[in-house]
Amino acid sequence: QVQLVESGGGLVQAGGSLRLSCVTSGRTFGPYIMGWFRQAPGKEREFVAVISRSGDTTYYADSVKGRFTGSRDNAKNTMYLQMNSLKPEDTAVYYCAAREGGSIKTTIRDYDYWGQGTQVTVYS
């Protein structure tokens, strides 16, 4: 079992930046593939980014590509999401998730553990 806690959300003007963190505990962080997802009001949860175990490979949703950067520090059991050039449509609750499986996935059902989420609100 692994526990995940997100932080770093907040209120930011369009064009601004935020850095989200996801700290894990309970089990060794390294073996998990880590993902970021988000859920806007009235919408389904959607994929944002995924980071391989080593951090060398990342994939992003088209909507955030070029603006968001995912990374991880296995020594600190922490994953990050640097969000730049934020837009009002990025407003959502952002969740980190951990996957025990061997391959990178971008679908919600493939992740085994979830954090409680952190709110990001972008105003114009």
Side-chain angles (χ1 to χ4, degrees):
Q1 189 83 12
V2 62
Q3 292 79 44
L4 299 90
V5 179
E6 304 94 337
S7 63
L11 181 66
V12 63
Q13 191 172 18
S17 299
L18 283 174
R19 188 195 196 199
L20 305 184
S21 298
C22 173
V23 178
T24 68
S25 61
R27 293 180 64 179
T28 303
F29 177 66
Y32 293 97
I33 291 170
M34 300 298 295
W36 286 101
F37 293 78
R38 67 186 182 185
Q39 188 166 16
K43 296 187 177 181
E44 294 186 352
R45 194 170 300 189
E46 64 178 8
F47 165 75
V48 175
V50 59
I51 306 167
S52 65
R53 292 184 179 88
S54 66
D56 291 345
T57 301
T58 53
Y59 291 108
Y60 301 94
D62 288 342
S63 59
V64 307
K65 200 172 295 182
R67 300 188 297 122
F68 290 11
T69 302
S71 62
R72 64 191 290 169
D73 185 338
N74 287 349
K76 296 182 178 179
N77 294 336
T78 304
M79 173 177 68
Y80 305 97
L81 185 68
Q82 178 66 42
M83 306 187 296
N84 298 329
S85 302
L86 283 161
K87 304 175 181 180
E89 51 263 45
D90 294 319
T91 295
V93 177
Y94 283 71
Y95 299 89
C96 67
R99 167 174 163 76
E100 293 183 315
S103 58
I104 289 179
K105 298 288 186 181
T106 61
T107 50
I108 294 169
R109 65 177 182 271
D110 289 311
Y111 284 77
D112 304 289
Y113 306 102
W114 291 83
Q116 293 300 306
T118 185
Q119 176 71 48
V120 171
T121 303
V122 185
Y123 64 94
S124 57

